Amino acid sequence: MTKYIVQGGKPLFGEVEISGAKNAAVAIIPAALLVDGVCRIENIPQISDVTLCLRILEELGANIRPVNRHTVEIDCRHIHSTRTSYELARRIRASYYLIGALLGRFGQAEVAMPGGCNFGVRPIDQHVKGFATLGAKVVVEGGFIRASAEGRRLRGANIYLDVVSVGATMNIMMAAVMAEGNTVIENAAKEPHIVDLANFLNSMGANIRGAGTDTIKIRGVDSLSGGSYAIIPDQIEAGTYMAAVAATGGQVLVKNIIPKHMDCITAKLQECGVEVEEHEDTLLVRRTGKLRRANVKTLPYPGFPTDMQPQITAVLCLAEGTSLVTESVWSNRYQYVDELKRMGANIQVDDKTAVVEGVDHLTGAPIQACDLRAGAAMVIAALAAQGCSEISRVQYIERGYEDIVDKLRALGADIRSVEEPEETDELKAQIS
Ligand code: EPU
């Protein structure tokens, strides 16, 4: 069991290099299944969700060759199975992309119901609706989603999404890329990783237009061949370091980013009194004065990302005045608030809204990461707090943040990772 020990109260100074985008990588790796050739993928983040995706592909028969720490070659010419193991697929949300990819290439897929962070109901009805409209039969049996095309190839169709869903947009894109005829996805999500997946597939020979707008048009092609592709930088990882500087004060150059992707986060931090200077592929983030209150509402891109909601809430805990945070993407993404309260935060949650009364300071405490982004918020709060915090369940954080401890230490943070023995069953019984 790994824990982070954080001695808070130190401003951050220096430079941080942002890794490849997690939510692009966990889609692009399964999308390699569509390619009848070798895909070289660069700028892959070293995080546990990516390791799991690669292991799942390997189990299906892909040949995975690491080239260096951030580059792999994936060869899916000899896939021998279209059924994922329950054990691996259920541990990661993005395993649902295996359905679209396997269905698109082989006309069939059997994938364990996806797992991932738990923040309320996470339906996949829009994915299923998309597959069915393309001519697939989809059933859920024994913990698995089984999808099969009538005949071997899906048929292009018009699909209108009832909710703007990142996952459904990308999954339908994968299923449709080699379908017979044309597909149009309307009310599509517009996140940067959707454009990234489309660019990856196009570079392998697909014909996708309109990614990044709400209408995506796909002309089915017969096959995809290999090539080389570099994943975009992680918008949320960059935003998390920006929020950390906002909370602790200091000055950090956030490197290897696409500033346009950061606009929604940059604007909100500026409203809070943080200075952000934009350069070609870097942002200089500085906070010297007091933090100001702000209202935040999460929305699909280009709105403020739900995956930054816990981190900005941690910042607003220390801002002067009352801030309102409204979560409008997920139904239950405030489980971490009780942990912030242990540190002295003053937050009241009413359904989708958190009312955050700024406090003068937070104090270090034993806290836990309830999920990936909540975990990032705990790190931010602990870095800004007076005294020592002990963050447990950090395996959630390591699902999505490459080398977070080393990157923060390089900025002058006093954070270290320690291994502790697992609680024995006997001890757990005594506690409960
Ligand atoms: N929804 C439906 N039906 C569906 C799909 C989604 O009702 O079939 C609803 C969801 O319940 C939610 C909303 O639509 O209320 C948006 O969900 P979306 O499908 O966009 O989310 P996702 O694709 O499952 C991805 C990211 C999440 C991120 C969301 C929103 C991955 C692997 N996950 O999830 O990332 O919060 O988009 O941007 O890409 C994270 O990185 O910490 C994370 C949770």
Side-chain angles (χ1 to χ4, degrees):
M1 201 168 61
T2 312
K3 284 185 176 181
Y4 294 165
I5 310 291
V6 185
Q7 189 69 44
K10 287 184 152 196
L12 300 177
F13 286 97
E15 299 183 353
V16 62
E17 185 90 27
I18 298 306
S19 303
K22 162 190 166 269
N23 287 345
V26 297
I28 287 174
I29 293 168
L33 282 165
L34 288 158
V35 180
D36 194 16
V38 179
C39 304
R40 180 187 170 98
I41 309 177
E42 295 167 12
N43 206 28
I44 291 202
Q46 278 276 346
I47 50 176
S48 59
D49 270 17
V50 159
T51 310
L52 268 174
C53 280
L54 290 169
R55 275 179 59 198
I56 294 173
L57 255 62
E58 212 158 21
E59 267 199 1
L60 298 175
N63 186 5
I64 313 275
R65 192 178 79 83
V67 177
N68 58 45
R69 191 156 186 252
H70 294 119
T71 304
V72 286
E73 285 183 354
I74 305 178
D75 180 354
C76 291
R77 281 178 294 186
H78 306 290
I79 296 298
H80 53 63
S81 170
T82 53
R83 180 187 162 100
T84 64
S85 81
Y86 176 75
E87 194 35 52
L88 288 181
R90 73 177 180 83
R91 285 163 58 186
I92 172 174
R93 185 77 196 156
S95 54
Y96 52 40
Y97 292 129
L98 297 158
I99 311 171
L102 289 168
L103 194 55
R105 169 106 181 261
F106 303 105
Q108 56 183 38
E110 268 186 81
V111 178
M113 285 295 271
C117 291
N118 175 19
F119 32 75
V121 186
R122 297 187 74 175
I124 57 163
D125 56 300
Q126 297 303 304
H127 306 230
V128 172
K129 169 179 149 173
F131 300 145
T133 313
L134 294 171
K137 189 168 167 240
V138 187
V139 291
V140 179
E141 269 170 9
F144 278 78
I145 303 162
R146 296 182 218 276
S148 54
E150 284 166 22
R152 203 183 137 110
R153 231 173 142 187
L154 295 168
R155 289 183 313 272
N158 282 12
I159 298 156
Y160 186 93
L161 296 179
D162 300 326
V163 289
V164 179
S165 159
V166 172
T169 303
M170 303 224 263
N171 226 344
I172 296 168
M173 218 194 267
M174 290 192 218
V177 95
M178 287 194 284
E180 245 177 279
N182 298 334
T183 297
V184 180
I185 309 173
E186 289 189 77
N187 199 24
K190 296 181 275 202
E191 269 66 4
H193 31 294
I194 288 171
V195 180
D196 210 33
L197 174 65
N199 287 343
F200 165 77
L201 291 169
N202 284 342
S203 74
M204 303 290 147
N207 186 339
I208 303 173
R209 285 173 299 133
T213 75
D214 54 17
T215 306
I216 299 178
K217 295 184 176 162
I218 303 160
R219 189 182 288 267
V221 295
D222 288 339
S223 66
L224 299 183
S225 55
S228 195
Y229 191 78
I231 289 176
I232 52 166
D234 197 307
Q235 176 207 32
I236 304 299
E237 188 198 13
T240 300
Y241 285 99
M242 292 168 76
V245 182
T248 61
Q251 175 174 303
V252 170
L253 186 69
V254 183
K255 292 167 69 176
N256 182 35
I257 49 135
I258 298 174
K260 178 80 196 137
H261 293 168
M262 305 309 303
D263 282 353
C264 38
I265 299 165
T266 299
K268 196 46 74 182
L269 289 173
Q270 285 173 328
E271 214 178 304
C272 295
V274 179
E275 292 165 58
V276 183
E277 218 177 90
E278 184 178 317
H279 302 279
E280 199 184 321
D281 62 354
T282 60
L283 288 178
L284 183 66
V285 186
R286 184 186 308 120
R287 207 266 289 169
T288 46
K290 285 196 183 284
L291 281 169
R292 294 196 292 266
R293 61 160 299 282
N295 292 342
V296 179
K297 183 171 185 179
T298 66
L299 287 168
Y301 190 81
F304 190 88
T306 171
D307 292 344
M308 277 297 298
Q309 182 260 102
Q311 300 91 312
I312 194 84
T313 303
V315 173
L316 293 171
C317 286
L318 294 162
E320 279 185 325
T322 308
S323 305
L324 294 183
V325 179
T326 308
E327 173 56 56
S328 55
V329 177
W330 296 112
S331 56
N332 182 14
R333 207 173 191 175
Y334 287 122
Q335 289 158 26
Y336 66 91
V337 161
D338 283 343
E339 302 301 304
L340 289 179
K341 284 184 178 174
R342 286 176 201 277
M343 306 177 80
N346 184 350
I347 309 175
Q348 302 305 321
V349 175
D350 183 10
D351 191 21
K352 291 182 169 227
T353 302
V355 182
V356 186
E357 248 357 297
V359 294
D360 176 62
H361 64 272
L362 297 173
T363 46
I367 45 180
Q368 58 177 15
C370 325
D371 62 58
L372 166 60
R373 308 303 173 186
M378 293 307 118
V379 172
I380 292 171
L383 290 171
Q386 292 176 4
C388 186
S389 297
E390 202 178 291
I391 308 176
S392 55
R393 297 173 79 188
V394 300
Q395 70 276 15
Y396 280 115
I397 302 174
E398 294 177 357
R399 290 179 59 170
Y401 288 91
E402 175 174 328
D403 296 340
I404 187 168
V405 169
D406 289 344
K407 287 186 185 186
L408 285 168
R409 285 174 72 85
L411 297 175
D414 187 345
I415 176 170
R416 63 198 162 88
S417 179
V418 294
E419 291 299 326
E420 291 210 340
E422 293 277 351
E423 279 168 12
T424 60
D425 286 343
E426 199 184 335
L427 183 62
K428 275 188 201 153
Q430 280 172 18
I431 295 166
S432 59

